Amino acid sequence: MISITNYDIQLIDYFIHFATIAGTISLIYLINYLFKIKNKTSITQIGTLKLHRSNLIIACYNFIVVGIFSIIYYYISNFTTIQHFKIHGKPIKLTMLEAIYVSLVTQTTVGYGHVTYESYWVELLNIIQMISILLNISFIHF
């Protein structure tokens, strides 16, 4: 049986952290490229499935928002003296994976209820993330 130490968890957390930053930056470059494409309709077609430029932009936008807010939540949780988050009623300093989870729960509007925000600043950031969801809805064309 493999045992995982706190050191292993820290290494995994650092890897997830830097992968999130690199992935978010890569998606920003991708979305910039997609805005510059002259072809405004489908980019590629696989069988009968067409991959449209606007769908890629919406997906990239969502992942960028989740990435940015995950990073912000992580830094706020770990580099300030104030307790900002509670999970299951216990104050916690978020790992990067937990920060991604909190951001995804907000972005997908699931809101399981076991994550609570304990500071004004995090509640304000949460509201900004929720507003980004409304912006996302405005991007969708039917």
Side-chain angles (χ1 to χ4, degrees), residues 42-46 49-52:
S42 67
I43 293 175
T44 188
Q45 185 169 348
I46 303 168
L49 178 68
K50 288 185 180 178
L51 189 57
H52 291 276

Side-chain angles (χ1 to χ4, degrees), residues 116-135:
T116 56
Y117 309 109
E118 297 296 311
S119 73
Y120 171 80
W121 295 109
V122 173
E123 288 174 352
L124 182 64
L125 282 170
N126 199 259
I127 290 169
I128 293 168
Q129 187 175 7
M130 288 182 218
I131 290 170
S132 76
I133 297 166
L134 296 175
L135 290 174

Side-chain angles (χ1 to χ4, degrees), residues 72-87 90-94 115-123 125:
I72 292 170
Y73 293 151
Y74 175 81
Y75 281 114
I76 283 178
S77 175
N78 287 283
F79 297 112
T80 60
T81 56
I82 302 168
Q83 200 62 45
H84 296 283
F85 297 92
K86 282 186 179 178
I87 295 182
K90 292 190 274 186
I92 189 169
K93 291 209 177 271
L94 298 177
V115 178
T116 56
Y117 309 109
E118 297 296 311
S119 73
Y120 171 80
W121 295 109
V122 173
E123 288 174 352
L125 282 170

Side-chain angles (χ1 to χ4, degrees), residues 26-60:
S26 299
L27 286 171
I28 290 170
Y29 280 110
L30 177 61
I31 204 167
N32 183 37
Y33 170 76
L34 290 172
F35 275 119
K36 291 179 181 178
I37 290 178
K38 301 282 188 249
N39 181 3
K40 300 291 184 192
T41 59
S42 67
I43 293 175
T44 188
Q45 185 169 348
I46 303 168
T48 59
L49 178 68
K50 288 185 180 178
L51 189 57
H52 291 276
R53 175 180 162 268
S54 59
N55 295 5
L56 280 175
I57 290 172
I58 291 168
C60 286

Side-chain angles (χ1 to χ4, degrees), residues 9 23 59 89 96 112:
I9 292 172
M96 193 63 205
Y112 290 124

